[in-house]
Amino acid sequence: EKHFIDSLLVTQFFNFSGQKILDLGTGGGFPSIPLSLYYQHNKNEVLDISSMDATRKKIVALQDMSQILKASIQTLNGRAEDFGNTPKYREKFDIVLTRAFAPWPVLLELALPFLKVGGKLIAYQSPAIKEDVENFKNVSMKLGGGDIKIHSCFLGEDIERIFVEVSKTKPCPKSYPRKTGIPKKTPLS
């Protein structure tokens, strides 16, 4: 229940209607399944949402869950480092969502290449992210990121949820993302 509520908190700040969305590192389908169901049942709209994860078993489970729940999502099995350098996916999305995905500089390197210029990265984070956002602004700019906004709300009485919104203002250099494992092993600074 908490994961569903947490996944939907983002709708307080963002409208996903008519957007091409990527849920990067979807894991168990959060936030893509709750968002898909919310829009289908409350807004009578089918979101254009793709869920990507590197673990095949998670993608198979997600396909089964989405079929049972009648959630309209597409699934992609593979690594962000590979898909982010593929013309079919590079700079093709209006929104990239991440939830519990990677440390901030790694997240930026793996997520920003998927966004169109004018698109937005929306990262579900804890309050501790504020320091990293400030410390790694240069990494965001190097990868095509521009304005950064922080939205805050509470999940229950004592759990603060932060949504970091990074606008994409220019194309990401073709050298990013780097090959598999390198972003995590040697984060940009």
Side-chain angles (χ1 to χ4, degrees), residues 48-86:
D48 182 359
I49 190 164
S50 298
S51 297
M52 180 187 293
D53 202 278
T55 306
R56 178 82 182 135
K57 188 167 31 171
K58 290 178 184 178
I59 289 297
V60 170
L62 182 56
Q63 290 166 340
D64 291 343
M65 284 187 289
S66 61
Q67 186 175 17
I68 291 166
L69 296 170
K70 296 181 176 41
S72 181
I73 58 171
Q74 296 85 45
T75 56
L76 302 169
N77 178 223
R79 299 196 58 86
E81 294 96 329
D82 298 329
F83 277 86
N85 283 308
T86 303

PDB file of all heavy atoms in Angstrom, residues 48-86:
ATOM      1  N   ASP A  48       1.324   6.699 -22.071  1.00  0.00           N
ATOM      2  CA  ASP A  48       2.366   6.113 -22.914  1.00  0.00           C
ATOM      3  C   ASP A  48       3.590   5.940 -22.018  1.00  0.00           C
ATOM      4  O   ASP A  48       4.439   6.826 -21.922  1.00  0.00           O
ATOM      5  CB  ASP A  48       2.656   7.047 -24.089  1.00  0.00           C
ATOM      6  CG  ASP A  48       3.700   6.481 -25.048  1.00  0.00           C
ATOM      7  OD1 ASP A  48       4.219   5.370 -24.794  1.00  0.00           O
ATOM      8  OD2 ASP A  48       3.996   7.163 -26.043  1.00  0.00           O
ATOM      9  N   ILE A  49       3.635   4.805 -21.306  1.00  0.00           N
ATOM     10  CA  ILE A  49       4.681   4.591 -20.313  1.00  0.00           C
ATOM     11  C   ILE A  49       5.425   3.295 -20.583  1.00  0.00           C
ATOM     12  O   ILE A  49       4.828   2.254 -20.835  1.00  0.00           O
ATOM     13  CB  ILE A  49       4.099   4.640 -18.876  1.00  0.00           C
ATOM     14  CG1 ILE A  49       5.203   4.659 -17.832  1.00  0.00           C
ATOM     15  CG2 ILE A  49       3.100   3.535 -18.636  1.00  0.00           C
ATOM     16  CD1 ILE A  49       4.722   5.101 -16.459  1.00  0.00           C
ATOM     17  N   SER A  50       6.746   3.394 -20.572  1.00  0.00           N
ATOM     18  CA  SER A  50       7.625   2.228 -20.733  1.00  0.00           C
ATOM     19  C   SER A  50       8.373   2.023 -19.432  1.00  0.00           C
ATOM     20  O   SER A  50       8.831   2.976 -18.814  1.00  0.00           O
ATOM     21  CB  SER A  50       8.637   2.468 -21.855  1.00  0.00           C
ATOM     22  OG  SER A  50       7.981   2.651 -23.082  1.00  0.00           O
ATOM     23  N   SER A  51       8.488   0.766 -19.014  1.00  0.00           N
ATOM     24  CA  SER A  51       9.201   0.415 -17.787  1.00  0.00           C
ATOM     25  C   SER A  51      10.448  -0.376 -18.151  1.00  0.00           C
ATOM     26  O   SER A  51      10.356  -1.409 -18.796  1.00  0.00           O
ATOM     27  CB  SER A  51       8.301  -0.435 -16.893  1.00  0.00           C
ATOM     28  OG  SER A  51       7.166   0.299 -16.504  1.00  0.00           O
ATOM     29  N   MET A  52      11.610   0.119 -17.719  1.00  0.00           N
ATOM     30  CA  MET A  52      12.880  -0.521 -18.062  1.00  0.00           C
ATOM     31  C   MET A  52      13.570  -1.046 -16.813  1.00  0.00           C
ATOM     32  O   MET A  52      13.619  -0.359 -15.791  1.00  0.00           O
ATOM     33  CB  MET A  52      13.806   0.470 -18.751  1.00  0.00           C
ATOM     34  CG  MET A  52      15.161  -0.134 -19.134  1.00  0.00           C
ATOM     35  SD  MET A  52      16.335   1.081 -19.767  1.00  0.00           S
ATOM     36  CE  MET A  52      15.547   1.514 -21.288  1.00  0.00           C
ATOM     37  N   ASP A  53      14.099  -2.263 -16.927  1.00  0.00           N
ATOM     38  CA  ASP A  53      14.912  -2.821 -15.859  1.00  0.00           C
ATOM     39  C   ASP A  53      15.921  -3.786 -16.481  1.00  0.00           C
ATOM     40  O   ASP A  53      15.626  -4.423 -17.492  1.00  0.00           O
ATOM     41  CB  ASP A  53      14.056  -3.545 -14.817  1.00  0.00           C
ATOM     42  CG  ASP A  53      14.777  -3.640 -13.479  1.00  0.00           C
ATOM     43  OD1 ASP A  53      15.615  -4.546 -13.313  1.00  0.00           O
ATOM     44  OD2 ASP A  53      14.512  -2.780 -12.610  1.00  0.00           O
ATOM     45  N   ALA A  54      17.081  -3.903 -15.855  1.00  0.00           N
ATOM     46  CA  ALA A  54      18.132  -4.777 -16.372  1.00  0.00           C
ATOM     47  C   ALA A  54      17.899  -6.240 -15.997  1.00  0.00           C
ATOM     48  O   ALA A  54      18.459  -7.129 -16.622  1.00  0.00           O
ATOM     49  CB  ALA A  54      19.491  -4.325 -15.851  1.00  0.00           C
ATOM     50  N   THR A  55      17.061  -6.486 -14.989  1.00  0.00           N
ATOM     51  CA  THR A  55      16.838  -7.847 -14.510  1.00  0.00           C
ATOM     52  C   THR A  55      15.638  -8.465 -15.223  1.00  0.00           C
ATOM     53  O   THR A  55      14.502  -8.034 -15.043  1.00  0.00           O
ATOM     54  CB  THR A  55      16.615  -7.848 -12.983  1.00  0.00           C
ATOM     55  OG1 THR A  55      17.707  -7.171 -12.366  1.00  0.00           O
ATOM     56  CG2 THR A  55      16.504  -9.256 -12.444  1.00  0.00           C
ATOM     57  N   ARG A  56      15.915  -9.490 -16.015  1.00  0.00           N
ATOM     58  CA  ARG A  56      14.877 -10.155 -16.813  1.00  0.00           C
ATOM     59  C   ARG A  56      13.722 -10.680 -15.951  1.00  0.00           C
ATOM     60  O   ARG A  56      12.566 -10.553 -16.307  1.00  0.00           O
ATOM     61  CB  ARG A  56      15.506 -11.304 -17.624  1.00  0.00           C
ATOM     62  CG  ARG A  56      14.523 -12.086 -18.441  1.00  0.00           C
ATOM     63  CD  ARG A  56      14.228 -11.379 -19.740  1.00  0.00           C
ATOM     64  NE  ARG A  56      13.241 -12.124 -20.492  1.00  0.00           N
ATOM     65  CZ  ARG A  56      12.202 -11.554 -21.079  1.00  0.00           C
ATOM     66  NH1 ARG A  56      12.037 -10.263 -21.038  1.00  0.00           N
ATOM     67  NH2 ARG A  56      11.345 -12.277 -21.743  1.00  0.00           N
ATOM     68  N   LYS A  57      14.046 -11.279 -14.796  1.00  0.00           N
ATOM     69  CA  LYS A  57      13.022 -11.834 -13.918  1.00  0.00           C
ATOM     70  C   LYS A  57      12.027 -10.748 -13.465  1.00  0.00           C
ATOM     71  O   LYS A  57      10.835 -11.001 -13.373  1.00  0.00           O
ATOM     72  CB  LYS A  57      13.692 -12.490 -12.712  1.00  0.00           C
ATOM     73  CG  LYS A  57      12.742 -13.263 -11.841  1.00  0.00           C
ATOM     74  CD  LYS A  57      13.359 -14.192 -10.791  1.00  0.00           C
ATOM     75  CE  LYS A  57      14.661 -13.818 -10.195  1.00  0.00           C
ATOM     76  NZ  LYS A  57      15.055 -14.663  -9.063  1.00  0.00           N
ATOM     77  N   LYS A  58      12.536  -9.559 -13.188  1.00  0.00           N
ATOM     78  CA  LYS A  58      11.655  -8.451 -12.776  1.00  0.00           C
ATOM     79  C   LYS A  58      10.740  -8.034 -13.923  1.00  0.00           C
ATOM     80  O   LYS A  58       9.560  -7.754 -13.721  1.00  0.00           O
ATOM     81  CB  LYS A  58      12.480  -7.259 -12.292  1.00  0.00           C
ATOM     82  CG  LYS A  58      13.172  -7.513 -10.980  1.00  0.00           C
ATOM     83  CD  LYS A  58      14.006  -6.318 -10.572  1.00  0.00           C
ATOM     84  CE  LYS A  58      14.783  -6.604  -9.294  1.00  0.00           C
ATOM     85  NZ  LYS A  58      15.637  -5.475  -8.921  1.00  0.00           N
ATOM     86  N   ILE A  59      11.269  -7.994 -15.126  1.00  0.00           N
ATOM     87  CA  ILE A  59      10.460  -7.605 -16.293  1.00  0.00           C
ATOM     88  C   ILE A  59       9.367  -8.644 -16.561  1.00  0.00           C
ATOM     89  O   ILE A  59       8.217  -8.291 -16.841  1.00  0.00           O
ATOM     90  CB  ILE A  59      11.356  -7.383 -17.535  1.00  0.00           C
ATOM     91  CG1 ILE A  59      12.187  -6.108 -17.352  1.00  0.00           C
ATOM     92  CG2 ILE A  59      10.542  -7.326 -18.810  1.00  0.00           C
ATOM     93  CD1 ILE A  59      11.391  -4.814 -17.236  1.00  0.00           C
ATOM     94  N   VAL A  60       9.696  -9.919 -16.454  1.00  0.00           N
ATOM     95  CA  VAL A  60       8.688 -10.975 -16.656  1.00  0.00           C
ATOM     96  C   VAL A  60       7.586 -10.848 -15.604  1.00  0.00           C
ATOM     97  O   VAL A  60       6.395 -10.923 -15.917  1.00  0.00           O
ATOM     98  CB  VAL A  60       9.340 -12.380 -16.632  1.00  0.00           C
ATOM     99  CG1 VAL A  60       8.290 -13.476 -16.591  1.00  0.00           C
ATOM    100  CG2 VAL A  60      10.244 -12.565 -17.853  1.00  0.00           C
ATOM    101  N   ALA A  61       7.964 -10.630 -14.345  1.00  0.00           N
ATOM    102  CA  ALA A  61       6.972 -10.460 -13.276  1.00  0.00           C
ATOM    103  C   ALA A  61       6.117  -9.218 -13.538  1.00  0.00           C
ATOM    104  O   ALA A  61       4.898  -9.239 -13.349  1.00  0.00           O
ATOM    105  CB  ALA A  61       7.666 -10.356 -11.925  1.00  0.00           C
ATOM    106  N   LEU A  62       6.751  -8.158 -13.998  1.00  0.00           N
ATOM    107  CA  LEU A  62       6.035  -6.922 -14.301  1.00  0.00           C
ATOM    108  C   LEU A  62       5.035  -7.126 -15.448  1.00  0.00           C
ATOM    109  O   LEU A  62       3.912  -6.626 -15.400  1.00  0.00           O
ATOM    110  CB  LEU A  62       7.039  -5.826 -14.659  1.00  0.00           C
ATOM    111  CG  LEU A  62       6.496  -4.447 -14.968  1.00  0.00           C
ATOM    112  CD1 LEU A  62       5.653  -3.913 -13.829  1.00  0.00           C
ATOM    113  CD2 LEU A  62       7.655  -3.501 -15.259  1.00  0.00           C
ATOM    114  N   GLN A  63       5.425  -7.882 -16.454  1.00  0.00           N
ATOM    115  CA  GLN A  63       4.508  -8.189 -17.560  1.00  0.00           C
ATOM    116  C   GLN A  63       3.295  -8.959 -17.047  1.00  0.00           C
ATOM    117  O   GLN A  63       2.163  -8.663 -17.417  1.00  0.00           O
ATOM    118  CB  GLN A  63       5.231  -8.981 -18.650  1.00  0.00           C
ATOM    119  CG  GLN A  63       6.242  -8.161 -19.407  1.00  0.00           C
ATOM    120  CD  GLN A  63       7.188  -9.003 -20.257  1.00  0.00           C
ATOM    121  OE1 GLN A  63       7.370 -10.194 -20.044  1.00  0.00           O
ATOM    122  NE2 GLN A  63       7.812  -8.353 -21.239  1.00  0.00           N
ATOM    123  N   ASP A  64       3.535  -9.932 -16.171  1.00  0.00           N
ATOM    124  CA  ASP A  64       2.436 -10.712 -15.587  1.00  0.00           C
ATOM    125  C   ASP A  64       1.514  -9.824 -14.747  1.00  0.00           C
ATOM    126  O   ASP A  64       0.287  -9.895 -14.874  1.00  0.00           O
ATOM    127  CB  ASP A  64       2.970 -11.860 -14.720  1.00  0.00           C
ATOM    128  CG  ASP A  64       3.655 -12.945 -15.534  1.00  0.00           C
ATOM    129  OD1 ASP A  64       3.459 -12.990 -16.775  1.00  0.00           O
ATOM    130  OD2 ASP A  64       4.405 -13.747 -14.936  1.00  0.00           O
ATOM    131  N   MET A  65       2.105  -8.997 -13.881  1.00  0.00           N
ATOM    132  CA  MET A  65       1.300  -8.111 -13.028  1.00  0.00           C
ATOM    133  C   MET A  65       0.485  -7.128 -13.855  1.00  0.00           C
ATOM    134  O   MET A  65      -0.693  -6.898 -13.577  1.00  0.00           O
ATOM    135  CB  MET A  65       2.198  -7.336 -12.062  1.00  0.00           C
ATOM    136  CG  MET A  65       2.693  -8.144 -10.910  1.00  0.00           C
ATOM    137  SD  MET A  65       3.568  -7.148  -9.683  1.00  0.00           S
ATOM    138  CE  MET A  65       5.079  -6.741 -10.564  1.00  0.00           C
ATOM    139  N   SER A  66       1.119  -6.532 -14.852  1.00  0.00           N
ATOM    140  CA  SER A  66       0.401  -5.541 -15.652  1.00  0.00           C
ATOM    141  C   SER A  66      -0.740  -6.190 -16.429  1.00  0.00           C
ATOM    142  O   SER A  66      -1.800  -5.588 -16.610  1.00  0.00           O
ATOM    143  CB  SER A  66       1.342  -4.772 -16.577  1.00  0.00           C
ATOM    144  OG  SER A  66       1.971  -5.618 -17.487  1.00  0.00           O
ATOM    145  N   GLN A  67      -0.563  -7.440 -16.843  1.00  0.00           N
ATOM    146  CA  GLN A  67      -1.636  -8.147 -17.541  1.00  0.00           C
ATOM    147  C   GLN A  67      -2.794  -8.440 -16.586  1.00  0.00           C
ATOM    148  O   GLN A  67      -3.956  -8.197 -16.915  1.00  0.00           O
ATOM    149  CB  GLN A  67      -1.112  -9.440 -18.153  1.00  0.00           C
ATOM    150  CG  GLN A  67      -2.131 -10.159 -19.004  1.00  0.00           C
ATOM    151  CD  GLN A  67      -1.535 -11.384 -19.685  1.00  0.00           C
ATOM    152  OE1 GLN A  67      -0.477 -11.876 -19.305  1.00  0.00           O
ATOM    153  NE2 GLN A  67      -2.223 -11.866 -20.699  1.00  0.00           N
ATOM    154  N   ILE A  68      -2.493  -8.923 -15.396  1.00  0.00           N
ATOM    155  CA  ILE A  68      -3.528  -9.224 -14.398  1.00  0.00           C
ATOM    156  C   ILE A  68      -4.272  -7.951 -13.988  1.00  0.00           C
ATOM    157  O   ILE A  68      -5.497  -7.946 -13.881  1.00  0.00           O
ATOM    158  CB  ILE A  68      -2.914  -9.924 -13.165  1.00  0.00           C
ATOM    159  CG1 ILE A  68      -2.442 -11.330 -13.548  1.00  0.00           C
ATOM    160  CG2 ILE A  68      -3.896  -9.983 -12.000  1.00  0.00           C
ATOM    161  CD1 ILE A  68      -1.526 -11.978 -12.522  1.00  0.00           C
ATOM    162  N   LEU A  69      -3.528  -6.866 -13.759  1.00  0.00           N
ATOM    163  CA  LEU A  69      -4.126  -5.609 -13.305  1.00  0.00           C
ATOM    164  C   LEU A  69      -4.699  -4.769 -14.449  1.00  0.00           C
ATOM    165  O   LEU A  69      -5.326  -3.750 -14.202  1.00  0.00           O
ATOM    166  CB  LEU A  69      -3.083  -4.786 -12.542  1.00  0.00           C
ATOM    167  CG  LEU A  69      -2.571  -5.394 -11.248  1.00  0.00           C
ATOM    168  CD1 LEU A  69      -1.376  -4.616 -10.726  1.00  0.00           C
ATOM    169  CD2 LEU A  69      -3.682  -5.431 -10.206  1.00  0.00           C
ATOM    170  N   LYS A  70      -4.439  -5.198 -15.678  1.00  0.00           N
ATOM    171  CA  LYS A  70      -4.843  -4.451 -16.868  1.00  0.00           C
ATOM    172  C   LYS A  70      -4.218  -3.046 -16.885  1.00  0.00           C
ATOM    173  O   LYS A  70      -4.852  -2.069 -17.248  1.00  0.00           O
ATOM    174  CB  LYS A  70      -6.371  -4.389 -16.989  1.00  0.00           C
ATOM    175  CG  LYS A  70      -6.986  -5.767 -17.202  1.00  0.00           C
ATOM    176  CD  LYS A  70      -8.480  -5.694 -17.339  1.00  0.00           C
ATOM    177  CE  LYS A  70      -9.138  -7.005 -17.644  1.00  0.00           C
ATOM    178  NZ  LYS A  70      -8.718  -8.188 -17.019  1.00  0.00           N
ATOM    179  N   ALA A  71      -2.962  -2.997 -16.469  1.00  0.00           N
ATOM    180  CA  ALA A  71      -2.186  -1.760 -16.531  1.00  0.00           C
ATOM    181  C   ALA A  71      -1.515  -1.707 -17.896  1.00  0.00           C
ATOM    182  O   ALA A  71      -0.885  -2.667 -18.319  1.00  0.00           O
ATOM    183  CB  ALA A  71      -1.137  -1.736 -15.423  1.00  0.00           C
ATOM    184  N   SER A  72      -1.662  -0.603 -18.570  1.00  0.00           N
ATOM    185  CA  SER A  72      -1.126  -0.475 -19.919  1.00  0.00           C
ATOM    186  C   SER A  72       0.294   0.083 -19.874  1.00  0.00           C
ATOM    187  O   SER A  72       0.495   1.292 -19.820  1.00  0.00           O
ATOM    188  CB  SER A  72      -2.032   0.440 -20.744  1.00  0.00           C
ATOM    189  OG  SER A  72      -1.531   0.556 -22.042  1.00  0.00           O
ATOM    190  N   ILE A  73       1.283  -0.817 -19.839  1.00  0.00           N
ATOM    191  CA  ILE A  73       2.679  -0.386 -19.867  1.00  0.00           C
ATOM    192  C   ILE A  73       3.451  -1.261 -20.839  1.00  0.00           C
ATOM    193  O   ILE A  73       3.098  -2.406 -21.077  1.00  0.00           O
ATOM    194  CB  ILE A  73       3.343  -0.447 -18.473  1.00  0.00           C
ATOM    195  CG1 ILE A  73       3.284  -1.859 -17.890  1.00  0.00           C
ATOM    196  CG2 ILE A  73       2.743   0.555 -17.511  1.00  0.00           C
ATOM    197  CD1 ILE A  73       4.091  -2.032 -16.632  1.00  0.00           C
ATOM    198  N   GLN A  74       4.500  -0.686 -21.428  1.00  0.00           N
ATOM    199  CA  GLN A  74       5.419  -1.449 -22.255  1.00  0.00           C
ATOM    200  C   GLN A  74       6.629  -1.763 -21.378  1.00  0.00           C
ATOM    201  O   GLN A  74       6.979  -0.982 -20.508  1.00  0.00           O
ATOM    202  CB  GLN A  74       5.875  -0.640 -23.481  1.00  0.00           C
ATOM    203  CG  GLN A  74       4.769  -0.278 -24.458  1.00  0.00           C
ATOM    204  CD  GLN A  74       4.048   0.993 -24.067  1.00  0.00           C
ATOM    205  OE1 GLN A  74       4.673   1.972 -23.720  1.00  0.00           O
ATOM    206  NE2 GLN A  74       2.720   0.986 -24.127  1.00  0.00           N
ATOM    207  N   THR A  75       7.256  -2.901 -21.614  1.00  0.00           N
ATOM    208  CA  THR A  75       8.420  -3.264 -20.815  1.00  0.00           C
ATOM    209  C   THR A  75       9.667  -3.345 -21.697  1.00  0.00           C
ATOM    210  O   THR A  75       9.592  -3.737 -22.856  1.00  0.00           O
ATOM    211  CB  THR A  75       8.200  -4.616 -20.103  1.00  0.00           C
ATOM    212  OG1 THR A  75       7.877  -5.612 -21.066  1.00  0.00           O
ATOM    213  CG2 THR A  75       7.084  -4.515 -19.066  1.00  0.00           C
ATOM    214  N   LEU A  76      10.782  -2.964 -21.102  1.00  0.00           N
ATOM    215  CA  LEU A  76      12.075  -2.996 -21.777  1.00  0.00           C
ATOM    216  C   LEU A  76      13.065  -3.679 -20.844  1.00  0.00           C
ATOM    217  O   LEU A  76      13.256  -3.235 -19.710  1.00  0.00           O
ATOM    218  CB  LEU A  76      12.567  -1.586 -22.086  1.00  0.00           C
ATOM    219  CG  LEU A  76      11.660  -0.709 -22.955  1.00  0.00           C
ATOM    220  CD1 LEU A  76      12.149   0.730 -22.949  1.00  0.00           C
ATOM    221  CD2 LEU A  76      11.620  -1.252 -24.361  1.00  0.00           C
ATOM    222  N   ASN A  77      13.670  -4.753 -21.312  1.00  0.00           N
ATOM    223  CA  ASN A  77      14.658  -5.463 -20.516  1.00  0.00           C
ATOM    224  C   ASN A  77      16.052  -5.136 -21.040  1.00  0.00           C
ATOM    225  O   ASN A  77      16.389  -5.455 -22.167  1.00  0.00           O
ATOM    226  CB  ASN A  77      14.399  -6.973 -20.579  1.00  0.00           C
ATOM    227  CG  ASN A  77      15.422  -7.772 -19.798  1.00  0.00           C
ATOM    228  OD1 ASN A  77      15.897  -8.789 -20.260  1.00  0.00           O
ATOM    229  ND2 ASN A  77      15.764  -7.321 -18.608  1.00  0.00           N
ATOM    230  N   GLY A  78      16.835  -4.465 -20.217  1.00  0.00           N
ATOM    231  CA  GLY A  78      18.195  -4.119 -20.611  1.00  0.00           C
ATOM    232  C   GLY A  78      18.764  -3.056 -19.710  1.00  0.00           C
ATOM    233  O   GLY A  78      18.095  -2.555 -18.806  1.00  0.00           O
ATOM    234  N   ARG A  79      19.993  -2.712 -19.966  1.00  0.00           N
ATOM    235  CA  ARG A  79      20.709  -1.726 -19.156  1.00  0.00           C
ATOM    236  C   ARG A  79      20.572  -0.330 -19.752  1.00  0.00           C
ATOM    237  O   ARG A  79      20.578  -0.153 -20.972  1.00  0.00           O
ATOM    238  CB  ARG A  79      22.176  -2.111 -19.058  1.00  0.00           C
ATOM    239  CG  ARG A  79      22.370  -3.485 -18.376  1.00  0.00           C
ATOM    240  CD  ARG A  79      23.781  -3.692 -17.925  1.00  0.00           C
ATOM    241  NE  ARG A  79      24.229  -2.665 -17.010  1.00  0.00           N
ATOM    242  CZ  ARG A  79      24.032  -2.693 -15.679  1.00  0.00           C
ATOM    243  NH1 ARG A  79      23.381  -3.677 -15.117  1.00  0.00           N
ATOM    244  NH2 ARG A  79      24.502  -1.715 -14.932  1.00  0.00           N
ATOM    245  N   ALA A  80      20.476   0.642 -18.876  1.00  0.00           N
ATOM    246  CA  ALA A  80      20.360   2.035 -19.302  1.00  0.00           C
ATOM    247  C   ALA A  80      21.558   2.451 -20.152  1.00  0.00           C
ATOM    248  O   ALA A  80      21.414   3.218 -21.107  1.00  0.00           O
ATOM    249  CB  ALA A  80      20.224   2.950 -18.087  1.00  0.00           C
ATOM    250  N   GLU A  81      22.746   1.927 -19.818  1.00  0.00           N
ATOM    251  CA  GLU A  81      23.933   2.287 -20.582  1.00  0.00           C
ATOM    252  C   GLU A  81      23.806   1.869 -22.046  1.00  0.00           C
ATOM    253  O   GLU A  81      24.307   2.564 -22.935  1.00  0.00           O
ATOM    254  CB  GLU A  81      25.187   1.610 -19.995  1.00  0.00           C
ATOM    255  CG  GLU A  81      25.555   2.087 -18.611  1.00  0.00           C
ATOM    256  CD  GLU A  81      25.009   1.192 -17.498  1.00  0.00           C
ATOM    257  OE1 GLU A  81      23.933   0.582 -17.680  1.00  0.00           O
ATOM    258  OE2 GLU A  81      25.658   1.108 -16.444  1.00  0.00           O
ATOM    259  N   ASP A  82      23.134   0.752 -22.300  1.00  0.00           N
ATOM    260  CA  ASP A  82      22.953   0.279 -23.674  1.00  0.00           C
ATOM    261  C   ASP A  82      21.797   0.996 -24.366  1.00  0.00           C
ATOM    262  O   ASP A  82      21.960   1.515 -25.469  1.00  0.00           O
ATOM    263  CB  ASP A  82      22.712  -1.236 -23.682  1.00  0.00           C
ATOM    264  CG  ASP A  82      23.898  -2.011 -23.127  1.00  0.00           C
ATOM    265  OD1 ASP A  82      25.043  -1.542 -23.292  1.00  0.00           O
ATOM    266  OD2 ASP A  82      23.669  -3.072 -22.517  1.00  0.00           O
ATOM    267  N   PHE A  83      20.635   1.026 -23.725  1.00  0.00           N
ATOM    268  CA  PHE A  83      19.461   1.664 -24.327  1.00  0.00           C
ATOM    269  C   PHE A  83      19.679   3.170 -24.525  1.00  0.00           C
ATOM    270  O   PHE A  83      19.184   3.746 -25.481  1.00  0.00           O
ATOM    271  CB  PHE A  83      18.217   1.435 -23.457  1.00  0.00           C
ATOM    272  CG  PHE A  83      17.544   0.115 -23.694  1.00  0.00           C
ATOM    273  CD1 PHE A  83      17.959  -1.025 -23.022  1.00  0.00           C
ATOM    274  CD2 PHE A  83      16.480   0.007 -24.570  1.00  0.00           C
ATOM    275  CE1 PHE A  83      17.345  -2.243 -23.221  1.00  0.00           C
ATOM    276  CE2 PHE A  83      15.852  -1.207 -24.781  1.00  0.00           C
ATOM    277  CZ  PHE A  83      16.282  -2.334 -24.115  1.00  0.00           C
ATOM    278  N   GLY A  84      20.434   3.796 -23.605  1.00  0.00           N
ATOM    279  CA  GLY A  84      20.684   5.240 -23.700  1.00  0.00           C
ATOM    280  C   GLY A  84      21.540   5.631 -24.885  1.00  0.00           C
ATOM    281  O   GLY A  84      21.610   6.801 -25.256  1.00  0.00           O
ATOM    282  N   ASN A  85      22.207   4.667 -25.492  1.00  0.00           N
ATOM    283  CA  ASN A  85      23.014   4.920 -26.683  1.00  0.00           C
ATOM    284  C   ASN A  85      22.369   4.371 -27.954  1.00  0.00           C
ATOM    285  O   ASN A  85      23.007   4.328 -29.005  1.00  0.00           O
ATOM    286  CB  ASN A  85      24.417   4.322 -26.507  1.00  0.00           C
ATOM    287  CG  ASN A  85      25.275   5.185 -25.607  1.00  0.00           C
ATOM    288  OD1 ASN A  85      25.393   6.381 -25.828  1.00  0.00           O
ATOM    289  ND2 ASN A  85      25.854   4.594 -24.581  1.00  0.00           N
ATOM    290  N   THR A  86      21.118   3.947 -27.858  1.00  0.00           N
ATOM    291  CA  THR A  86      20.393   3.390 -28.987  1.00  0.00           C
ATOM    292  C   THR A  86      19.490   4.471 -29.596  1.00  0.00           C
ATOM    293  O   THR A  86      18.691   5.071 -28.867  1.00  0.00           O
ATOM    294  CB  THR A  86      19.517   2.194 -28.519  1.00  0.00           C
ATOM    295  OG1 THR A  86      20.376   1.239 -27.899  1.00  0.00           O
ATOM    296  CG2 THR A  86      18.783   1.552 -29.667  1.00  0.00           C
TER     297      THR A  86
END
